[in-house]
Amino acid sequence: AIDPVQPDPTSPWGAWLAILISSMLWAVPHAGMVTPDWWKFAQVGGLGLVLGWLALREGIAATLLAHSLFNLGSVIFAQ
């Protein structure tokens, strides 16, 4: 079984700093998909923060499910 991501107990920023950085890096390539660019950056970066929190709390399986449901909803509502 895959264990949930555990924060580094020696660092107060540990996991949250990693989540923040990875969320923002994940949002960069998505920025050109919607006008204005900042909106897509905020949307995807915010989703990254939520999914990072979910990974800490519930593990990778719940995070993958949430991401899949978000993408499915995006496809359904975009039509």
Side-chain angles (χ1 to χ4, degrees), residues 16-51:
W16 282 107
L17 183 59
I19 289 170
L20 178 64
I21 292 169
S22 63
S23 295
M24 295 303 108
L25 289 174
W26 183 51
V28 169
H30 292 84
M33 299 174 80
V34 170
T35 303
D37 287 345
W38 67 268
W39 173 245
K40 191 63 173 182
F41 185 82
Q43 179 187 28
V44 174
L47 177 63
L49 292 173
V50 171
L51 293 176

Short mmCIF file of all heavy atoms in Angstrom, two decimals, residues 16-51:
data_model
loop_
_atom_site.label_atom_id
_atom_site.label_comp_id
_atom_site.label_asym_id
_atom_site.label_seq_id
_atom_site.Cartn_x
_atom_site.Cartn_y
_atom_site.Cartn_z
N TRP A 16 4.14 21.79 3.55
CA TRP A 16 3.37 22.91 3.00
C TRP A 16 4.17 23.73 2.01
O TRP A 16 3.64 24.22 1.02
CB TRP A 16 2.78 23.77 4.10
CG TRP A 16 1.58 23.10 4.68
CD1 TRP A 16 1.48 22.50 5.88
CD2 TRP A 16 0.33 22.89 4.02
NE1 TRP A 16 0.23 21.92 6.02
CE2 TRP A 16 -0.48 22.15 4.90
CE3 TRP A 16 -0.18 23.24 2.77
CZ2 TRP A 16 -1.78 21.77 4.57
CZ3 TRP A 16 -1.47 22.85 2.44
CH2 TRP A 16 -2.26 22.13 3.34
N LEU A 17 5.46 23.89 2.27
CA LEU A 17 6.30 24.61 1.32
C LEU A 17 6.40 23.82 0.02
O LEU A 17 6.30 24.38 -1.07
CB LEU A 17 7.69 24.87 1.91
CG LEU A 17 8.64 25.68 1.04
CD1 LEU A 17 8.05 27.04 0.72
CD2 LEU A 17 9.98 25.84 1.74
N ALA A 18 6.56 22.52 0.13
CA ALA A 18 6.61 21.66 -1.06
C ALA A 18 5.29 21.73 -1.83
O ALA A 18 5.29 21.79 -3.07
CB ALA A 18 6.93 20.23 -0.67
N ILE A 19 4.17 21.72 -1.12
CA ILE A 19 2.86 21.81 -1.77
C ILE A 19 2.70 23.15 -2.47
O ILE A 19 2.25 23.21 -3.62
CB ILE A 19 1.73 21.59 -0.74
CG1 ILE A 19 1.70 20.13 -0.30
CG2 ILE A 19 0.38 22.02 -1.31
CD1 ILE A 19 0.79 19.86 0.88
N LEU A 20 3.10 24.22 -1.83
CA LEU A 20 2.99 25.55 -2.43
C LEU A 20 3.83 25.66 -3.70
O LEU A 20 3.34 26.09 -4.75
CB LEU A 20 3.41 26.63 -1.42
CG LEU A 20 3.39 28.06 -1.94
CD1 LEU A 20 1.98 28.47 -2.29
CD2 LEU A 20 3.97 29.00 -0.91
N ILE A 21 5.08 25.24 -3.62
CA ILE A 21 5.96 25.34 -4.79
C ILE A 21 5.46 24.45 -5.92
O ILE A 21 5.37 24.89 -7.07
CB ILE A 21 7.41 24.99 -4.39
CG1 ILE A 21 7.97 26.07 -3.48
CG2 ILE A 21 8.29 24.81 -5.63
CD1 ILE A 21 9.29 25.70 -2.82
N SER A 22 5.11 23.21 -5.62
CA SER A 22 4.66 22.31 -6.68
C SER A 22 3.33 22.77 -7.27
O SER A 22 3.11 22.62 -8.48
CB SER A 22 4.58 20.87 -6.18
OG SER A 22 3.62 20.75 -5.15
N SER A 23 2.45 23.35 -6.48
CA SER A 23 1.18 23.85 -6.99
C SER A 23 1.40 25.00 -7.98
O SER A 23 0.76 25.05 -9.03
CB SER A 23 0.29 24.34 -5.85
OG SER A 23 -0.08 23.27 -5.03
N MET A 24 2.30 25.89 -7.64
CA MET A 24 2.56 27.02 -8.53
C MET A 24 3.28 26.57 -9.81
O MET A 24 2.96 27.03 -10.90
CB MET A 24 3.38 28.09 -7.81
CG MET A 24 2.64 28.75 -6.64
SD MET A 24 1.06 29.50 -7.10
CE MET A 24 -0.12 28.37 -6.37
N LEU A 25 4.21 25.63 -9.68
CA LEU A 25 4.89 25.11 -10.87
C LEU A 25 3.92 24.33 -11.75
O LEU A 25 4.02 24.37 -12.99
CB LEU A 25 6.07 24.22 -10.46
CG LEU A 25 7.27 24.95 -9.86
CD1 LEU A 25 8.31 23.96 -9.38
CD2 LEU A 25 7.87 25.93 -10.86
N TRP A 26 2.98 23.64 -11.15
CA TRP A 26 1.97 22.89 -11.89
C TRP A 26 1.04 23.84 -12.63
O TRP A 26 0.56 23.53 -13.73
CB TRP A 26 1.21 22.01 -10.90
CG TRP A 26 0.18 21.12 -11.49
CD1 TRP A 26 0.33 20.25 -12.54
CD2 TRP A 26 -1.17 20.97 -11.05
NE1 TRP A 26 -0.85 19.57 -12.77
CE2 TRP A 26 -1.78 20.00 -11.86
CE3 TRP A 26 -1.91 21.56 -10.03
CZ2 TRP A 26 -3.09 19.62 -11.70
CZ3 TRP A 26 -3.22 21.17 -9.87
CH2 TRP A 26 -3.81 20.21 -10.71
N ALA A 27 0.78 25.00 -12.06
CA ALA A 27 -0.15 25.96 -12.66
C ALA A 27 0.45 26.69 -13.86
O ALA A 27 -0.28 27.08 -14.76
CB ALA A 27 -0.58 26.98 -11.61
N VAL A 28 1.77 26.85 -13.91
CA VAL A 28 2.40 27.63 -14.98
C VAL A 28 2.03 27.13 -16.39
O VAL A 28 1.60 27.93 -17.22
CB VAL A 28 3.94 27.71 -14.79
CG1 VAL A 28 4.63 28.27 -16.00
CG2 VAL A 28 4.25 28.54 -13.55
N PRO A 29 2.18 25.84 -16.70
CA PRO A 29 1.85 25.42 -18.07
C PRO A 29 0.36 25.50 -18.40
O PRO A 29 -0.02 25.48 -19.57
CB PRO A 29 2.35 23.98 -18.16
CG PRO A 29 2.56 23.53 -16.77
CD PRO A 29 2.74 24.74 -15.93
N HIS A 30 -0.49 25.62 -17.40
CA HIS A 30 -1.93 25.71 -17.64
C HIS A 30 -2.39 27.16 -17.87
O HIS A 30 -3.51 27.38 -18.28
CB HIS A 30 -2.70 25.16 -16.43
CG HIS A 30 -2.56 23.69 -16.26
ND1 HIS A 30 -1.50 23.13 -15.59
CD2 HIS A 30 -3.33 22.65 -16.66
CE1 HIS A 30 -1.63 21.82 -15.58
NE2 HIS A 30 -2.72 21.50 -16.23
N ALA A 31 -1.53 28.13 -17.61
CA ALA A 31 -1.93 29.53 -17.62
C ALA A 31 -2.43 30.00 -18.98
O ALA A 31 -3.31 30.83 -19.06
CB ALA A 31 -0.78 30.42 -17.14
N GLY A 32 -1.90 29.50 -20.08
CA GLY A 32 -2.30 29.97 -21.40
C GLY A 32 -3.59 29.36 -21.93
O GLY A 32 -4.01 29.65 -23.03
N MET A 33 -4.25 28.52 -21.14
CA MET A 33 -5.42 27.79 -21.62
C MET A 33 -6.72 28.60 -21.53
O MET A 33 -7.69 28.26 -22.18
CB MET A 33 -5.57 26.48 -20.84
CG MET A 33 -4.37 25.56 -21.03
SD MET A 33 -4.47 24.10 -20.00
CE MET A 33 -5.59 23.12 -20.96
N VAL A 34 -6.76 29.61 -20.71
CA VAL A 34 -7.97 30.40 -20.50
C VAL A 34 -7.58 31.87 -20.45
O VAL A 34 -6.52 32.22 -19.98
CB VAL A 34 -8.66 30.00 -19.17
CG1 VAL A 34 -9.78 30.96 -18.82
CG2 VAL A 34 -9.18 28.58 -19.25
N THR A 35 -8.43 32.72 -20.96
CA THR A 35 -8.18 34.15 -20.87
C THR A 35 -9.00 34.71 -19.73
O THR A 35 -10.18 34.39 -19.65
CB THR A 35 -8.55 34.84 -22.20
OG1 THR A 35 -7.81 34.21 -23.23
CG2 THR A 35 -8.25 36.30 -22.17
N PRO A 36 -8.51 35.51 -18.87
CA PRO A 36 -7.11 35.93 -18.76
C PRO A 36 -6.23 34.86 -18.12
O PRO A 36 -6.71 34.01 -17.37
CB PRO A 36 -7.18 37.16 -17.88
CG PRO A 36 -8.39 36.97 -17.03
CD PRO A 36 -9.36 36.17 -17.89
N ASP A 37 -4.94 34.93 -18.42
CA ASP A 37 -3.98 33.93 -17.95
C ASP A 37 -3.95 33.81 -16.43
O ASP A 37 -3.84 32.71 -15.89
CB ASP A 37 -2.57 34.25 -18.43
CG ASP A 37 -2.40 33.99 -19.92
OD1 ASP A 37 -3.25 33.29 -20.50
OD2 ASP A 37 -1.41 34.47 -20.48
N TRP A 38 -4.05 34.93 -15.73
CA TRP A 38 -3.95 34.89 -14.27
C TRP A 38 -5.08 34.07 -13.66
O TRP A 38 -4.91 33.45 -12.62
CB TRP A 38 -3.93 36.30 -13.67
CG TRP A 38 -5.23 37.03 -13.85
CD1 TRP A 38 -5.57 37.86 -14.87
CD2 TRP A 38 -6.37 36.96 -12.98
NE1 TRP A 38 -6.86 38.30 -14.70
CE2 TRP A 38 -7.37 37.78 -13.55
CE3 TRP A 38 -6.64 36.29 -11.79
CZ2 TRP A 38 -8.62 37.94 -12.97
CZ3 TRP A 38 -7.90 36.46 -11.22
CH2 TRP A 38 -8.86 37.28 -11.80
N TRP A 39 -6.25 34.05 -14.32
CA TRP A 39 -7.39 33.31 -13.78
C TRP A 39 -7.11 31.81 -13.78
O TRP A 39 -7.36 31.12 -12.81
CB TRP A 39 -8.65 33.62 -14.55
CG TRP A 39 -9.79 32.75 -14.13
CD1 TRP A 39 -10.44 31.82 -14.88
CD2 TRP A 39 -10.40 32.72 -12.85
NE1 TRP A 39 -11.42 31.20 -14.14
CE2 TRP A 39 -11.41 31.74 -12.87
CE3 TRP A 39 -10.19 33.41 -11.66
CZ2 TRP A 39 -12.20 31.43 -11.78
CZ3 TRP A 39 -10.99 33.10 -10.56
CH2 TRP A 39 -11.98 32.13 -10.63
N LYS A 40 -6.57 31.29 -14.89
CA LYS A 40 -6.27 29.87 -14.95
C LYS A 40 -5.14 29.53 -13.98
O LYS A 40 -5.17 28.49 -13.33
CB LYS A 40 -5.89 29.47 -16.38
CG LYS A 40 -5.82 27.98 -16.58
CD LYS A 40 -7.20 27.35 -16.34
CE LYS A 40 -7.19 25.88 -16.70
NZ LYS A 40 -8.51 25.29 -16.52
N PHE A 41 -4.16 30.42 -13.86
CA PHE A 41 -3.07 30.22 -12.90
C PHE A 41 -3.63 30.12 -11.49
O PHE A 41 -3.28 29.22 -10.73
CB PHE A 41 -2.04 31.35 -13.01
CG PHE A 41 -0.84 31.14 -12.15
CD1 PHE A 41 0.20 30.33 -12.59
CD2 PHE A 41 -0.74 31.74 -10.90
CE1 PHE A 41 1.33 30.13 -11.81
CE2 PHE A 41 0.38 31.55 -10.11
CZ PHE A 41 1.42 30.73 -10.57
N ALA A 42 -4.54 31.01 -11.13
CA ALA A 42 -5.15 31.00 -9.79
C ALA A 42 -6.01 29.75 -9.59
O ALA A 42 -5.97 29.12 -8.53
CB ALA A 42 -5.98 32.26 -9.57
N GLN A 43 -6.74 29.38 -10.62
CA GLN A 43 -7.63 28.21 -10.52
C GLN A 43 -6.81 26.93 -10.35
O GLN A 43 -7.07 26.14 -9.44
CB GLN A 43 -8.49 28.11 -11.78
CG GLN A 43 -9.42 26.93 -11.79
CD GLN A 43 -10.13 26.78 -13.12
OE1 GLN A 43 -9.62 27.17 -14.16
NE2 GLN A 43 -11.31 26.20 -13.08
N VAL A 44 -5.83 26.71 -11.19
CA VAL A 44 -5.04 25.47 -11.14
C VAL A 44 -4.13 25.48 -9.91
O VAL A 44 -3.97 24.45 -9.24
CB VAL A 44 -4.25 25.27 -12.44
CG1 VAL A 44 -3.32 24.09 -12.35
CG2 VAL A 44 -5.20 25.11 -13.62
N GLY A 45 -3.54 26.63 -9.58
CA GLY A 45 -2.71 26.71 -8.37
C GLY A 45 -3.53 26.43 -7.12
O GLY A 45 -3.09 25.72 -6.22
N GLY A 46 -4.74 26.98 -7.08
CA GLY A 46 -5.63 26.72 -5.94
C GLY A 46 -6.02 25.26 -5.84
O GLY A 46 -6.03 24.68 -4.75
N LEU A 47 -6.32 24.65 -6.98
CA LEU A 47 -6.63 23.22 -6.99
C LEU A 47 -5.43 22.41 -6.51
O LEU A 47 -5.57 21.46 -5.75
CB LEU A 47 -7.06 22.76 -8.38
CG LEU A 47 -7.35 21.27 -8.52
CD1 LEU A 47 -8.53 20.86 -7.63
CD2 LEU A 47 -7.60 20.91 -9.97
N GLY A 48 -4.24 22.83 -6.91
CA GLY A 48 -3.02 22.15 -6.46
C GLY A 48 -2.86 22.20 -4.96
O GLY A 48 -2.46 21.21 -4.33
N LEU A 49 -3.19 23.35 -4.36
CA LEU A 49 -3.11 23.47 -2.90
C LEU A 49 -4.11 22.54 -2.22
O LEU A 49 -3.78 21.88 -1.23
CB LEU A 49 -3.36 24.92 -2.47
CG LEU A 49 -2.29 25.92 -2.86
CD1 LEU A 49 -2.75 27.34 -2.52
CD2 LEU A 49 -0.96 25.61 -2.19
N VAL A 50 -5.32 22.49 -2.75
CA VAL A 50 -6.35 21.61 -2.18
C VAL A 50 -5.95 20.14 -2.32
O VAL A 50 -6.07 19.36 -1.37
CB VAL A 50 -7.72 21.88 -2.83
CG1 VAL A 50 -8.74 20.83 -2.43
CG2 VAL A 50 -8.22 23.27 -2.48
N LEU A 51 -5.46 19.78 -3.50
CA LEU A 51 -5.04 18.39 -3.71
C LEU A 51 -3.83 18.04 -2.84
O LEU A 51 -3.72 16.91 -2.37
CB LEU A 51 -4.75 18.14 -5.19
CG LEU A 51 -5.96 18.19 -6.13
CD1 LEU A 51 -5.52 18.02 -7.57
CD2 LEU A 51 -7.01 17.19 -5.74
#
